[in-house]
Amino acid sequence: DAMVIQNPRYQVTQFGKPVTLSCSQTLNHNVMYWYQQKSSQAPKLLFHYYDKDFNNEADTPDNFQSRRPNTSFCFLDIRSPGLGDAAMYLCATSWLAGETQYFGPGTRLLVL
Amino acid sequence: SQQGEEDPQALSIQEGENATMNCSYKTSINNLQWYRQNSGRGLVHLILIRSNEREKHSGRLRVTLDTSKKSSSLLITASRAADTASYFCATEQNFGNEKLTFGTGTRLTIIP
C-alpha cells in the first residue's frame, strides 16, 4: 500500500546531540512537509518542499534543517536539540500544495 | 496567530449520539479540511470542502462551510467508541501560500 513512513517511531537524544529524523513516501507526491506537534496542541509547520524548492516558515528556529535528496525521502535535522524540542514530529505529503495531506505515524522525540 | 479556532476544546458524549464540532477562521480560504488524530498517532484526512461548496458528506460525517461567517462544522452521526480522537480543521488561505494552517483541535471522547 502507498504510504508515508517515518523512522524511528521513538527517538531519545541528549541535550545538544544532533539528531536526524527520516520520512519516506511511496505516493510519489510533489510536496513534503515537516510539522512539530507538542502535547495537546495543533501541528505547527516547520518547512515544506515543493519538489526541490525549500520553503522555511519564518518562525522556524535555525536549529532545524531539512534535506530532500529525492522525491521519496525527506530528512529533519535538529543540530543541537534543547529540552523545548521534545515533541512529536510529523511528516506529511500532498500531490498539490494546499490539498489533502497524507501523514506518517510520527516520530516522538525525547531530549534528556 | 492561528488561522483556525475550534469549539468546543473537549466534548464527551454517549455512544450512539451525534457529535458536532465547530471551526472558525480569520481570512479568506481556498479550502477547509478536517483531520482526525488518535492519541500518539499521525493525522488522518477526513474531508476537504472547497470555498464554493456549502456541504459535503462522507459516510457518517457531514461538513458544512459558511464563508460569510468564516466558519465550518463537522457532524459525526451515530458515534462509536472508535471515533474517540482529536479532530482538527485546517485551512488553505486563498493567496496560495501552499500550506495548511491547523486549528486548535477538539478532543472527542465517546463513552460506551
Side-chain angles (χ1 to χ4, degrees):
Chain A
D1 288 340
M3 60 176 60
V4 181
I5 302 163
Q6 290 188 245
N7 286 304
R9 294 291 311 277
Y10 300 91
Q11 177 73 57
V12 181
T13 191
Q14 292 179 332
F15 182 93
K17 184 175 181 180
V19 65
T20 295
L21 309 182
S22 72
C23 176
S24 64
Q25 54 133 341
T26 61
L27 297 162
N28 205 33
H29 282 171
N30 291 319
V31 194
M32 295 188 77
Y33 307 82
W34 278 105
Y35 291 89
Q36 179 193 65
Q37 186 180 30
K38 296 188 176 180
S39 181
S40 301
Q41 295 185 18
K44 177 181 180 299
L45 183 64
L46 296 173
F47 23 60
H48 73 279
Y49 280 91
Y50 196 118
D51 196 10
K52 294 184 178 182
D53 293 332
F54 177 70
N55 298 273
N56 196 30
E57 292 300 296
D59 57 355
T60 298
D62 292 340
N63 198 25
F64 291 83
Q65 304 286 319
S66 185
R67 296 169 284 134
R68 189 179 185 185
N70 53 52
T71 300
S72 300
F73 286 87
C74 195
F75 300 97
L76 170 61
D77 301 308
I78 308 176
R79 294 190 297 186
S80 182
L83 298 178
D85 298 327
M88 174 76 88
Y89 290 88
L90 296 164
C91 174
T93 73
S94 65
W95 178 242
L96 292 174
E99 295 290 318
T100 298
Q101 293 187 12
Y102 296 83
F103 282 80
T107 294
R108 184 166 295 281
L109 178 67
L110 180 63
V111 181
L112 301 177
Chain B
S1 62
Q2 286 185 321
Q3 168 74 335
E5 298 290 334
E6 294 183 59
D7 172 58
Q9 288 188 324
L11 177 64
S12 292
I13 61 172
Q14 295 288 334
E15 192 168 21
E17 294 180 340
N18 295 341
T20 299
M21 289 158 269
N22 302 296
C23 170
S24 60
Y25 56 91
K26 296 177 182 175
T27 61
S28 296
I29 61 171
N30 285 331
N31 69 64
L32 184 145
Q33 302 177 36
W34 285 90
Y35 289 81
R36 183 186 75 230
Q37 185 178 35
N38 291 92
S39 182
R41 311 291 283 274
L43 282 74
V44 174
H45 180 261
L46 297 176
I47 286 185
L48 181 153
I49 186 166
R50 300 195 185 278
S51 59
N52 61 352
E53 298 175 309
R54 291 296 167 259
E55 187 172 314
K56 285 190 87 168
H57 297 256
S58 177
R60 294 183 295 112
L61 307 180
R62 172 178 170 254
V63 168
T64 62
L65 178 65
D66 187 335
T67 52
S68 66
K69 295 181 179 178
K70 292 186 171 58
S71 67
S72 173
S73 68
L74 170 66
L75 169 67
I76 304 173
T77 60
S79 63
R80 305 168 181 169
D83 295 329
T84 294
S86 292
Y87 292 81
F88 293 91
C89 68
T91 53
E92 187 209 4
Q93 296 170 45
N94 74 352
F95 51 87
N97 61 355
E98 302 182 345
K99 64 182 184 181
L100 298 180
T101 304
F102 284 82
T104 50
T106 293
R107 175 68 191 170
L108 175 65
T109 301
I110 307 300
I111 303 166

